Amino acid sequence: MIMALGGRISIEIGVHATAAKWYNIFATQLHQVQNLTDRIHQAKLHHGQDWHHNEAIKHWTYIIDGKVNTCQESMEYDEAKKIIIFKLFGGDVAKEFKFINLVFEASDKENGGANIKWTVEYERLSGEVHPPYGYIEYLYKCTVDMDAHLKA
């Protein structure tokens, strides 16, 4: 039996702040995210003049599965749908994956607050590499940390 090397893993999290507030933090204040959760050790602009331009490349240092990882990242935005795709490459990501995309979607709930959906899209370099389940745990914990700051 041959197992597919690509896949998707998703999680949806209810949060206190509105979808617009969540989208805004990632679309216009991404450099602040490292101050809202201790799971991100460092984020810096690697290439480009503006953190929030599609051509910009950021360098991230973060913790997944208890160990420090690094990667570079670029973004694509869909403001109308409140969707952002973070495309991870290089660094530790490139050791096991052709790519990892973190897809952020925010939608308002009827009774206030929002639902944040994270989807991890990936392609592994080989069948020996496990799917990136640690990224779902990481995104869940970062979302909870950030929600505590955003609801204030």
Side-chain angles (χ1 to χ4, degrees):
M1 181 171 118
I2 298 174
M3 186 181 293
L5 296 178
R8 304 175 102 188
I9 311 166
S10 295
I11 188 171
E12 195 162 315
I13 307 158
V15 294
H16 296 92
T18 64
K21 196 169 188 178
W22 273 92
Y23 181 84
N24 185 58
I25 193 82
F26 288 118
T28 67
Q29 301 172 42
L30 186 62
H31 58 285
Q32 293 295 334
V33 171
Q34 63 188 323
N35 300 322
L36 303 179
T37 179
D38 61 3
R39 286 160 183 79
I40 299 172
H41 285 202
Q42 184 182 36
K44 61 184 177 183
L45 191 59
H46 179 74
H47 174 77
Q49 303 296 320
D50 178 3
W51 275 76
H52 307 100
H53 190 276
N54 280 342
E55 305 294 318
I57 296 175
K58 282 77 67 185
H59 182 273
W60 294 89
T61 305
Y62 54 96
I63 297 179
I64 296 281
D65 295 329
K67 61 183 183 186
V68 175
N69 285 269
T70 63
C71 74
Q72 293 180 342
E73 167 266 314
S74 64
M75 301 165 72
E76 287 182 12
Y77 302 90
D78 185 335
E79 190 170 351
K81 295 180 181 177
K82 291 186 178 49
I83 296 174
I84 301 173
I85 301 171
F86 299 92
K87 297 179 172 192
L88 309 185
F89 59 94
D92 294 304
V93 168
K95 293 176 184 173
E96 297 182 322
F97 297 91
K98 284 187 181 178
F99 71 88
I100 294 180
N101 292 339
L102 308 179
V103 182
F104 164 86
E105 299 176 62
S107 59
D108 284 314
K109 294 190 288 190
E110 288 184 23
N111 59 350
N115 285 315
I116 303 302
K117 181 178 180 183
W118 287 104
T119 301
V120 179
E121 302 172 335
Y122 63 91
E123 186 171 342
R124 300 174 292 158
L125 290 175
S126 74
E128 286 79 50
V129 174
H130 295 289
Y133 294 115
Y135 278 84
I136 287 292
E137 180 183 12
Y138 165 81
L139 292 167
Y140 172 79
K141 289 178 178 178
C142 287
T143 301
V144 170
D145 289 349
M146 291 175 63
D147 191 42
H149 291 280
L150 292 177
K151 73 178 183 180

